[in-house]
Amino acid sequence: MAKSNDNGFHSITWEDDHLRVIDQTFLPSREIYTNLNTTGQVWEAIKNMKVRGAPAIGIAAAYGLYLGARDIRESGFESFYLEIERLKEYLESSRPTAVNLQWALNRIMTTIQAHKEKEISELKDIILQTAQTIHDEDERLCKSIGENGLEIVPDEAHILTHCNTGALATSKFGTAFSVIWHAHRENKVKTVWVDETRPLLQGARLTAWELKKEEIPFKLITDSTAGFLMQQGLVDLVIVGADRIAANGDTANKIGTYNLAVLANAHDIPFYVAAPYSTIDLSIENGEAIPIEERDTAEVTKIGSKEIAPAKIEVYNPAFDVTPQHLITGFITDNGLIRPDYKKNLGNFSSREVSMKK
Amino acid sequence: MAKSNDNGFHSITWEDDHLRVIDQTFLPSREIYTNLNTTGQVWEAIKNMKVRGAPAIGIAAAYGLYLGARDIRESGFESFYLEIERLKEYLESSRPTAVNLQWALNRIMTTIQAHKEKEISELKDIILQTAQTIHDEDERLCKSIGENGLEIVPDEAHILTHCNTGALATSKFGTAFSVIWHAHRENKVKTVWVDETRPLLQGARLTAWELKKEEIPFKLITDSTAGFLMQQGLVDLVIVGADRIAANGDTANKIGTYNLAVLANAHDIPFYVAAPYSTIDLSIENGEAIPIEERDTAEVTKIGSKEIAPAKIEVYNPAFDVTPQHLITGFITDNGLIRPDYKKNLGNFSSREVSMKK
């Protein structure tokens, strides 16, 4: 269960009795690690984006459930399970859009149910083991995503990506970032266009930081520069991650993803979504049913402590948007490349995992 | 020649022997006015965007030419004119994309040529008078633009705008902002979506500041949120300004304008450009010939003094993009609304002004 990372840093590690995460709100200027000892601390870390990225949130939440579970004093299964359900709902409230969070917690709930005859202390161990399994699986999944994405990257590729989908957002390698990382190892990457991803600047702060560490050639741009680059023929493909994929392929991801999908479509540029299977939510027919988290206005009006807008104004700050399936060229998953018809092909692909979901 | 402004502030005023401008780099937190006494100070103010907005730049440059001219000690016309040409080229180097700057300076040169028989001291007065005429005309033009734009604003309008095109960017009223201002007076504006306009945040800092002063309802968004709003049916029309319009209608404006034009087109939302005639450059056949200014990387990697990206990375920071004419629903000008065919209609429209251009 090696969690060491080629990048020389660990975004999430389990250390015997607590979770240790890199606090992403301090990047890129400072590399600070934080220990999380309680469910509440994990909730706060997810809410305030110390831990972020759909897969990383799922992993952290799974450990977060264990951190709460180990302190439960109930001895009967029913009352123990009731407490666990309460912890689960609490953790789910930290980021409503990312389905991996729900997926990871549901998987633990299903596993507990399957062992309801066991002692409470054993159940607690099972929760921790399941969290660790989710963690390990994610690393393998991310590696597969990167390898499976190689075929869609042309030589001398100019790749545009959005937000952060790297090792920081996952256990290792990342999702969209994993494709870039693996393509770079094969000398296929000419340059990566990293958009800054306002308001929280995950591109400028985190993706730029990871690419620099990996010595992958890149240039930072503002989010508004994407269309101009495409118009000039400077983008060969766009690869983004996903927070939730509906059964028909509609995809929720960081705000601005939809802009890029429309722009790519207008310029006949391939637009790919890279994601592990836990991001696919077959219970949701299409994107209209995906809840969109609206975040604090201060994310837009302040950068750090600096006010960049007049005081007391109205702000609209949705954290995600939904890209309709017809704008997506393909999904790069751990199980291979998925092309349209998504309604048919996403269902087939994830059917083996459906039993793990609620 | 009243320069007083309904907004309670003056972006540019000529005060007997010097230019006084509001230093826009301090907005919205502080309202600081700066006196400019030399051509060099005007150049620096334009270069560093203390004065910005295509029309305002033209006005400031015109006064800037006078500030240099009045100190010229040559007594013969030829040597005087040579010195003026040197000043003109210097001022033009401050912002290469905005055509108003060249237009204003060319207009002064033409006027000087027409009075070459006059005394040098008289010529200096003529330069100042021409600058003041350009200033006054701009105010009238901006008012006409606002009035002429009324017909394209529906009732209960949700208008999306980009960058700053208000009184700060002109002598008064603005261009795209003037349409919003006049529509608001007619109670036609439900809300204005103001995108922040990275990297220099003219939307968040300046347009939000002007709208707040005018008590026009608005909400601030990140640049990436535009597509999502359009997808949700929350945008009725887009109005932007222009830095240079080619003879065929291709329009250079603040980076991100092209993104909005593509998005508006994909959602069947009208996309208008509001600009005075001095923005139309009939000498340029199409957008390909418009020079695009690339600005300092620190505009993207720093906000104020705060570093928001890793140190020593590559950045691509074009200040403008070019929106092709087929994405533009119409031009709102002081001479009325111009619809396609632009190649034909822009030429007709500005023919009366061609004599003023070089």
Side-chain angles (χ1 to χ4, degrees):
Chain A
M1 206 188 68
K3 290 291 184 306
S4 84
N5 195 304
D6 296 354
N7 313 14
F9 72 93
H10 308 255
S11 59
I12 302 179
T13 40
W14 177 255
E15 305 202 326
D16 298 330
D17 65 347
H18 67 273
L19 197 58
R20 182 174 158 84
V21 301
I22 187 166
D23 184 340
Q24 300 192 29
T25 60
F26 286 107
L27 289 174
S29 55
R30 286 190 290 168
E31 200 170 323
I32 291 174
Y33 292 82
T34 304
N35 293 331
L36 306 175
N37 294 291
T38 67
T39 307
Q41 286 174 354
V42 173
W43 184 92
E44 189 275 338
I46 295 172
K47 180 73 183 174
N48 294 325
M49 299 181 76
K50 294 174 181 173
V51 177
R52 48 146 293 287
I57 288 170
I59 296 163
Y63 286 118
L65 195 65
Y66 170 71
L67 289 171
R70 72 175 172 192
D71 293 335
I72 296 174
R73 305 197 169 202
E74 307 295 341
S75 54
F77 179 80
E78 292 307 327
S79 48
F80 174 77
Y81 193 80
L82 217 67
E83 287 296 311
I84 295 286
E85 270 194 323
R86 208 169 292 168
L87 289 169
K88 171 179 174 284
E89 277 167 30
Y90 172 60
L91 282 164
E92 282 176 351
S93 71
S94 60
R95 296 298 305 274
T97 304
V99 74
N100 307 58
L101 199 163
Q102 288 174 32
W103 173 87
L105 298 177
N106 283 339
R107 181 162 162 182
I108 292 175
M109 301 310 272
T110 309
T111 310
I112 297 171
Q113 283 284 3
H115 295 88
K116 61 198 301 180
E117 77 294 348
K118 297 241 166 93
E119 294 289 326
I120 299 300
S121 64
E122 284 178 282
L123 288 178
K124 290 178 180 179
D125 288 345
I126 285 170
I127 294 173
L128 178 58
Q129 283 158 24
T130 310
Q132 289 174 321
T133 302
I134 290 169
H135 195 171
D136 292 343
E137 276 181 11
D138 185 66
E139 189 171 318
R140 286 197 300 277
L141 294 176
C142 287
K143 188 162 186 288
S144 297
I145 289 169
E147 290 165 351
N148 293 339
L150 278 177
E151 64 175 288
I152 58 101
V153 180
D155 287 336
E156 303 269 305
H158 299 78
I159 306 173
L160 193 154
T161 191
H162 187 57
C163 200
N164 174 262
T165 62
L168 286 168
T170 60
S171 54
K172 192 170 165 178
F173 298 117
T175 55
F177 193 97
S178 181
V179 178
I180 294 168
W181 190 91
H182 283 85
H184 173 66
R185 273 220 312 198
E186 306 277 322
N187 291 315
K188 295 177 89 173
V189 178
K190 180 79 175 176
T191 203
V192 181
W193 296 107
V194 180
D195 69 20
E196 59 178 1
T197 317
R198 283 282 291 150
L200 291 182
L201 299 162
Q202 292 93 337
R205 293 191 299 111
L206 309 178
T207 302
W209 185 78
E210 288 198 49
L211 287 165
K212 194 180 173 196
K213 260 190 191 274
E214 299 284 355
E215 298 179 0
I216 299 172
F218 72 97
K219 284 189 186 178
L220 180 65
I221 55 169
T222 63
D223 302 323
S224 274
T225 308
F228 181 67
L229 291 178
M230 292 181 186
Q231 188 189 42
Q232 305 292 312
L234 298 173
V235 179
D236 297 315
L237 76 164
V238 180
I239 318 179
V240 299
D243 285 78
R244 193 185 298 214
I245 300 166
N248 74 337
D250 290 352
T251 296
N253 192 45
K254 182 57 55 196
I255 188 79
T257 303
Y258 175 61
N259 277 22
L260 294 176
V262 171
L263 288 164
N265 183 59
H267 294 86
D268 284 324
I269 293 170
F271 181 92
Y272 286 94
V273 173
Y277 63 77
S278 56
T279 318
I280 301 169
D281 185 354
L282 292 180
S283 75
I284 285 185
E285 199 179 331
N286 60 51
E288 284 172 36
I290 300 176
I292 299 295
E293 176 188 1
E294 200 178 329
R295 292 179 61 88
D296 190 25
T297 61
E299 289 185 354
V300 179
T301 59
K302 292 170 82 168
I303 291 182
S305 60
K306 185 175 168 64
E307 298 278 357
I308 57 166
K312 292 177 191 166
I313 61 168
E314 282 196 69
V315 174
Y316 182 52
N317 182 26
F320 301 92
D321 57 29
V322 175
T323 298
Q325 53 84 23
H326 70 271
L327 296 178
I328 298 168
T329 310
F331 290 90
I332 307 165
T333 73
D334 45 302
N335 229 15
L337 213 58
I338 303 178
R339 301 277 188 188
D341 170 344
Y342 296 131
K343 203 165 174 177
K344 189 173 128 227
N345 298 343
L346 285 174
N348 285 344
F349 158 70
S350 57
S351 58
R352 70 177 176 88
E353 306 300 342
V354 169
S355 62
M356 288 185 181
K357 299 194 184 184
K358 212 176 184 178
Chain B
M1 205 186 70
K3 289 292 183 305
S4 84
N5 195 303
D6 297 355
N7 312 16
F9 71 95
H10 308 253
S11 57
I12 302 180
T13 40
W14 177 253
E15 305 200 328
D16 298 329
D17 65 348
H18 66 274
L19 197 58
R20 181 174 158 85
V21 301
I22 186 165
D23 184 341
Q24 301 193 29
T25 60
F26 286 107
L27 288 173
S29 55
R30 286 190 290 167
E31 201 169 321
I32 291 176
Y33 293 82
T34 304
N35 294 331
L36 306 176
N37 294 291
T38 66
T39 308
Q41 286 173 354
V42 173
W43 184 92
E44 190 274 337
I46 295 172
K47 180 73 182 175
N48 294 324
M49 298 179 76
K50 293 175 181 172
V51 177
R52 47 147 293 288
I57 287 170
I59 296 163
Y63 286 118
L65 195 65
Y66 169 72
L67 289 171
R70 71 173 172 194
D71 293 336
I72 296 174
R73 304 198 170 202
E74 307 295 342
S75 54
F77 178 81
E78 292 307 327
S79 48
F80 174 77
Y81 194 79
L82 217 67
E83 287 296 312
I84 295 286
E85 270 195 323
R86 210 170 291 170
L87 289 169
K88 171 180 174 281
E89 277 167 31
Y90 172 62
L91 281 165
E92 282 176 351
S93 71
S94 60
R95 298 297 304 275
T97 304
V99 75
N100 307 58
L101 197 162
Q102 289 174 33
W103 172 88
L105 298 177
N106 284 338
R107 181 163 162 181
I108 293 176
M109 301 310 274
T110 309
T111 310
I112 297 171
Q113 284 283 4
H115 294 87
K116 61 200 304 179
E117 77 294 348
K118 297 242 166 91
E119 295 288 326
I120 299 299
S121 64
E122 286 179 279
L123 288 178
K124 290 179 181 178
D125 288 344
I126 286 171
I127 294 174
L128 178 59
Q129 283 158 22
T130 311
Q132 288 174 323
T133 303
I134 290 169
H135 194 172
D136 293 342
E137 276 181 9
D138 185 67
E139 190 171 317
R140 286 198 300 278
L141 294 176
C142 287
K143 188 160 184 288
S144 297
I145 289 170
E147 290 165 350
N148 293 338
L150 278 176
E151 64 174 287
I152 59 101
V153 180
D155 287 336
E156 303 271 303
H158 299 78
I159 305 173
L160 193 153
T161 191
H162 187 57
C163 199
N164 175 262
T165 61
L168 286 168
T170 59
S171 54
K172 192 170 165 179
F173 297 118
T175 55
F177 194 97
S178 181
V179 178
I180 294 167
W181 190 90
H182 283 85
H184 173 67
R185 273 220 312 200
E186 306 277 322
N187 290 315
K188 294 177 90 174
V189 178
K190 179 81 174 175
T191 204
V192 181
W193 297 107
V194 180
D195 70 18
E196 58 178 2
T197 316
R198 284 282 290 149
L200 291 180
L201 298 162
Q202 291 94 335
R205 293 191 300 110
L206 309 178
T207 303
W209 184 78
E210 288 199 49
L211 287 165
K212 194 182 172 194
K213 261 189 190 275
E214 300 284 355
E215 298 180 0
I216 300 172
F218 72 97
K219 285 189 186 179
L220 179 65
I221 55 169
T222 64
D223 301 323
S224 275
T225 306
F228 181 67
L229 290 178
M230 292 181 186
Q231 187 190 42
Q232 306 293 310
L234 298 172
V235 179
D236 298 315
L237 75 163
V238 180
I239 317 178
V240 299
D243 286 77
R244 191 185 298 215
I245 300 166
N248 74 337
D250 290 351
T251 296
N253 191 45
K254 182 56 55 196
I255 189 78
T257 303
Y258 175 60
N259 277 22
L260 293 176
V262 171
L263 288 165
N265 183 59
H267 295 86
D268 284 325
I269 294 169
F271 181 92
Y272 287 94
V273 173
Y277 64 76
S278 57
T279 317
I280 300 169
D281 185 354
L282 291 179
S283 75
I284 285 187
E285 198 178 333
N286 60 49
E288 283 171 36
I290 300 176
I292 299 295
E293 176 188 2
E294 200 178 329
R295 291 181 61 87
D296 189 25
T297 62
E299 288 185 354
V300 180
T301 59
K302 291 170 85 167
I303 292 182
S305 59
K306 186 177 166 64
E307 298 276 359
I308 57 165
K312 294 178 191 164
I313 61 169
E314 282 196 67
V315 174
Y316 182 53
N317 182 25
F320 301 93
D321 57 29
V322 175
T323 298
Q325 53 83 23
H326 70 270
L327 297 178
I328 298 168
T329 311
F331 290 90
I332 306 165
T333 74
D334 45 302
N335 228 15
L337 212 58
I338 304 178
R339 302 276 188 189
D341 169 338
Y342 295 130
K343 202 165 174 177
K344 189 173 128 227
N345 298 343
L346 284 175
N348 286 344
F349 158 69
S350 57
S351 58
R352 69 176 177 91
E353 306 300 342
V354 168
S355 61
M356 288 185 180
K357 300 194 183 185
K358 213 176 184 177

